[in-house]
């Protein structure tokens, strides 16, 4: 099982419905977050810029961007676990 597949299985099997919705909203909104925060698509950023963007996303306090933080937090947790 690849890491990305493991993450999706864990979200599907171990996260409640509200958490799943937030995770999916985070996936769907992450590219827009990257472009708004860093000026480029995530895949176009240098490694250091990617790391900075991820740190920024994990530190978000804005309730309107909670889904981005939730997505990144779950992805990080399940990446470490997987």
């Amino acid at each position: 099982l690849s890491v990305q597949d493991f993450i999706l299985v864990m979200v599907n099997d171990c996260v409640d419905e509200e958490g799943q919705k937030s995770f999916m909203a985070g996936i769907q909104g992450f590219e827009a977050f990257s472009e708004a925060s860093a000026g480029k698509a995530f895949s176009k950023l240098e490694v250091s810029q990617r790391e900075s963007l991820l740190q920024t996303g994990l530190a978000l306090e804005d309730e309107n961007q909670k889904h981005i933080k939730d997505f990144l937090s779950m992805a990080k947790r399940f990446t470490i676990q997987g």
Side-chain angles (χ1 to χ4, degrees):
L1 202 59
S2 64
V3 173
Q4 63 268 26
D5 291 337
F6 177 79
I7 292 169
L8 293 175
V9 167
M10 293 300 289
V11 169
N12 189 51
D13 293 351
C14 301
V15 176
D16 64 18
E17 187 175 342
E18 183 179 323
Q20 290 175 4
K21 287 179 182 177
S22 186
F23 181 85
M24 293 308 295
I27 285 177
Q28 294 168 346
F30 185 71
E31 202 63 39
F33 169 73
S34 177
E35 291 182 12
S37 298
K40 294 182 188 176
F42 187 77
S43 62
K44 305 274 188 216
L45 298 173
E46 300 293 326
V47 173
S48 62
Q49 293 172 305
R50 289 179 184 185
E51 291 172 354
S52 178
L53 182 68
L54 294 174
Q55 291 296 331
T56 298
L58 288 167
L60 288 171
E61 296 295 330
D62 183 357
E63 191 63 30
N64 294 326
Q65 293 186 316
K66 181 181 183 305
H67 59 284
I68 299 294
K69 184 176 183 177
D70 289 348
F71 160 65
L72 291 173
S73 295
M74 283 187 250
K76 179 180 177 181
R77 182 177 75 215
F78 293 135
T79 298
I80 292 168
Q81 187 175 345

